[in-house]
């Protein structure tokens, strides 16, 4: 037996997670559908892969020293003693699936998935969040980076967002980054005592992470640090120029950001992030991504370039709220069947409506007319279809519009589907009008 507080906890979602009930869940559903249409129309196919992987996928792919792996990953031994992890990000899983199945390259995959990070819970930062993402493997061309950014930008705009900015940078590659990191490390070491506590200790494991630190101590030191964009090798510089030219050609505005380190060790060359101007700066990243030409090798394959992004669905919806975007609700029901004659008419009529492609629901448990009408109102249905003893005798249904104040009518049972399908049927022939009292 657990303690009283644990027992109460059993009826609560775990810290940092949340339930999303209808109709709010419609926002998730419809956004994901919008994303699916966009990416499928751009040549990406859905990858559905397990929500957990062997831990080594993330340990090798993201990096042992990385916060997401070292501090936040939900990792556990299963009953066979295998070390597994709930997916903390999507890219390493896609690459693992590529290595397992070897689809023909180029391989363009998309996903919509929950992700798990044991973060300090705070507004807009959850322990389970959802990402919509794409990954393109097997293409080194800078124009693929442009395509990927275009897809993300287009999705955010299709969601109705306008107040956001795109930051892009380059992480260089194996040719230019090591020399740069050595120069950066020398600069930071010379100022070690001025860095924040965390980075003073961790400076040697990954000096580039210091560039990302927002604490004023680190900011002071990094303001004068060498910039990676000034140290790109010829090939990386040419790649970056081509990306910038592509974004310019497509009219996608961006800001250069030479601190865009991003959270994972796998990035090479292009990195980018979309930041909302409408939500709190601490959690304003709507999505981000970049190129990861070394990741397939890190997971045991042969050199294979890759580029992609992940967009945080919760963040996008929060930004929509902050920008006053009207996220229209779910389509209402077409009809709600109210039956006070025993339920048989409701059973048959509701299914007949659904078989005809209409959205229909009904009341159960032989409730009173008043209770059923309340449910009909609450359902948001366009019309209530009422079957009382009189209708049952006459072989009719009373069609009562619930939303537009139009007159109610009696309709022959055989004509109900037609009456609900089209407005014309309400006033058309075959619909006998009649008033009904007491409902
Ligand atoms: P990420 O920057 O860690 O990238 O996450 C992408 C987006 O997911 C963030 O910009 C943010 O909107 C959202 N997000 C991340 N953590 C949380 C959280 N705790 N709560 C709410 N939203 C969150 C990646 O995961 C990379 N795999 C993206 C990528 C794909 N790079 C290349 N391909």
């Amino acid at each position: 037996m657990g303690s009283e507080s644990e027992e109460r906890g059993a009826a609560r979602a775990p810290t940092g997670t949340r339930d999303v009930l209808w109709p709010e869940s419609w926002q998730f559903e419809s956004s994901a559908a919008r994303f699916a249409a966009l990416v499928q129309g751009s040549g990406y196919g859905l990858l559905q892969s397990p929500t957990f992987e062997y831990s080594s996928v993330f340990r090798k792919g993201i990096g042992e020293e990385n916060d997401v792996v070292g501090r936040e990953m939900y990792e556990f031994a299963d009953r066979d003693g295998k070390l597994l992890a709930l997916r903390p990000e999507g890219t390493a899983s896609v690459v693992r699936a590529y290595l397992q199945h070897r689809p023909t390259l180029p391989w363009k995959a998309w996903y919509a998935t929950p992700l798990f990070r044991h973060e300090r819970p705070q507004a807009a930062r959850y322990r389970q969040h959802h990402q919509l993402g794409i990954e393109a493997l097997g293409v080194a061309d800078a124009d693929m980076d442009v395509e990927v950014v275009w897809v993300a930008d287009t999705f955010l705009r299709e969601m109705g967002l306008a107040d956001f900015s795109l930051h892009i940078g380059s992480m260089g590659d194996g040719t230019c980054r090591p020399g740069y990191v050595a120069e950066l490390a020398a600069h930071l070491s010379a100022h070690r005592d001025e860095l924040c506590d965390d980075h003073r200790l961790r400076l040697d494991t990954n000096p580039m992470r210091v560039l990302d630190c927002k604490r004023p101590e680190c900011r002071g030191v990094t303001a004068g640090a060498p910039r990676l964009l000034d140290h790109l090798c010829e090939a990386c510089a040419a790649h970056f120029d081509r990306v910038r030219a592509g974004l310019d050609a497509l009219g996608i505005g961006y800001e250069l950001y030479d601190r865009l380190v991003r959270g994972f060790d796998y990035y090479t060359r292009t990195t980018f992030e979309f930041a909302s101007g409408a939500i709190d700066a601490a959690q304003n990243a709507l999505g981000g991504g970049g190129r990861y030409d070394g990741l397939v090798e890190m997971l045991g394959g042969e050199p294979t370039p890759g580029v992609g992004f992940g967009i945080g669905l919760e963040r996008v919806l929060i930004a929509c709220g902050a920008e006053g975007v009207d996220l229209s609700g779910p389509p209402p029901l077409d009809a709600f069947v109210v039956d006070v004659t025993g339920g048989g008419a409701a059973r048959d009529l509701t299914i007949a409506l659904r078989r005809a492609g209409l959205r229909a629901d009904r009341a159960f448990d032989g409730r009173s007319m008043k209770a059923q009408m309340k449910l009909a109102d609450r359902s948001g249905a366009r019309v209530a279809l009422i079957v009382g003893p009189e209708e049952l005798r006459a072989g009719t249904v009373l069609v009562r519009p619930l939303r537009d104040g139009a007159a109610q009518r009696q309709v022959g049972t055989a004509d109900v589907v037609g009456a609900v399908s089209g407005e014309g049927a309400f006033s058309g022939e075959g619909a006998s009008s009649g008033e009904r009292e007491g409902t």
Side-chain angles (χ1 to χ4, degrees):
M1 284 281 279
S3 68
E4 196 190 329
S5 64
E6 278 173 337
E7 294 203 342
R8 258 189 279 123
R12 296 183 68 85
T15 305
T17 70
R18 60 189 290 255
D19 301 309
V20 183
L21 274 61
W22 182 265
E24 189 193 346
S25 56
W26 168 256
Q27 297 177 358
F28 282 74
E29 204 186 328
S30 60
S31 309
R34 195 190 292 263
F35 184 76
L38 172 65
V39 295
Q40 280 162 3
S42 304
Y44 293 79
L46 175 66
L47 169 69
Q48 196 112 35
S49 63
T51 312
F52 56 89
E53 297 273 355
Y54 292 120
S55 288
S56 55
V57 170
F58 304 114
R59 291 192 164 273
K60 286 189 202 154
I62 300 175
E64 299 274 352
E65 302 298 336
N66 185 279
D67 277 354
V68 169
V69 167
R71 297 185 180 188
E72 297 169 1
M73 196 155 77
Y74 282 87
E75 199 172 29
F76 56 97
D78 74 1
R79 289 170 190 274
D80 305 321
K82 295 273 187 331
L83 200 55
L84 301 172
L86 297 184
R87 182 144 77 200
E89 65 96 45
T91 313
S93 287
V94 173
V95 169
R96 193 275 308 147
Y98 164 70
L99 286 171
Q100 183 172 344
H101 304 285
R102 300 290 179 165
T104 310
L105 293 174
W107 185 46
K108 293 167 70 172
W110 72 276
Y111 50 88
T113 184
L115 299 170
F116 308 87
R117 299 179 188 177
H118 192 272
E119 307 213 48
R120 194 168 62 78
Q122 49 192 304
R125 191 170 288 279
Y126 307 107
R127 291 186 175 170
Q128 174 175 333
H129 73 279
H130 296 79
Q131 280 186 29
L132 303 171
I134 60 175
E135 312 291 348
L137 295 184
V139 180
D141 194 330
D143 286 359
M144 184 51 96
D145 309 29
V146 177
E147 167 174 308
V148 163
V149 173
W150 175 84
V151 170
D153 182 76
T154 302
F155 174 66
L156 296 176
R157 290 187 194 286
E158 283 188 359
M159 286 299 295
L161 293 175
D163 184 6
F164 63 86
S165 48
L166 165 63
H167 297 135
I168 66 165
S170 175
M171 295 286 287
D173 66 5
T175 306
C176 48
R177 191 159 51 194
Y180 167 74
V181 171
E183 245 187 71
L184 176 68
H187 172 86
L188 297 175
S189 298
H191 298 271
R192 186 182 288 269
D193 295 343
E194 299 156 49
L195 295 172
C196 75
D197 294 347
D198 198 15
H199 284 121
R200 200 175 317 127
L201 296 174
R202 298 205 294 153
L203 165 61
D204 303 316
T205 36
N206 187 351
M208 286 190 74
R209 296 294 305 167
V210 183
L211 292 175
D212 208 20
C213 182
K214 307 235 169 18
R215 295 195 192 94
E217 308 93 287
C218 283
R219 276 286 148 122
V221 175
T222 54
R227 289 162 24 109
L228 179 50
L229 289 182
D230 298 333
H231 288 71
L232 295 180
C233 60
E234 218 172 288
C236 286
H239 187 96
F240 197 48
D241 285 348
R242 176 78 188 176
V243 172
R244 294 179 59 183
L247 297 177
D248 291 341
L250 296 179
I252 299 174
Y254 60 84
E255 291 164 33
L256 281 188
Y257 196 51
D258 53 24
R259 293 167 181 271
L260 197 56
V261 175
R262 307 247 326 119
F264 305 110
D265 293 358
Y266 52 59
Y267 288 115
T268 52
R269 296 193 168 170
T270 318
T271 49
F272 60 91
E273 220 161 71
F274 289 88
S276 168
I279 55 182
D280 184 32
Q283 265 77 245
N284 67 353
L286 297 172
R291 185 163 272 287
Y292 44 85
D293 293 345
L295 182 54
V296 176
E297 270 176 291
M298 285 157 80
L299 290 179
E302 56 292 331
T304 309
V307 58
F309 70 73
I311 284 182
L313 187 46
E314 286 84 357
R315 297 275 176 88
V316 168
L317 295 176
I318 291 168
C320 285
E323 284 198 42
V325 174
D326 175 25
L327 294 168
S328 53
L333 289 176
D334 293 303
F336 193 95
V337 181
V338 170
D339 175 4
V340 287
T341 66
R347 178 193 60 210
D348 300 345
L349 184 53
T350 308
I351 298 300
L353 289 159
R354 291 176 186 166
R355 282 181 172 154
L358 293 164
R359 293 180 292 263
D361 202 1
R362 54 163 293 197
F364 289 91
D365 289 334
R367 293 175 175 225
S368 70
M369 171 71 90
K370 196 168 161 207
Q372 292 194 41
M373 284 308 298
K374 218 182 228 174
L375 288 176
D377 270 335
R378 204 192 299 157
S379 77
R382 283 195 294 120
V383 295
L385 300 177
I386 303 167
V387 184
E390 207 179 288
E391 284 77 17
L392 195 63
R393 250 192 325 274
T396 61
V397 171
L398 180 65
V399 180
R400 176 180 290 178
L402 294 174
R403 314 192 24 127
D404 57 7
Q408 60 184 12
R409 295 166 191 285
Q410 294 284 357
V411 174
T413 308
D415 300 323
V416 176
V417 168
V420 176
S421 301
E423 292 301 322
F426 281 74
S427 52
E429 286 169 14
S432 59
S433 67
E435 287 299 310
R436 188 191 167 85
E437 288 174 14
T439 56

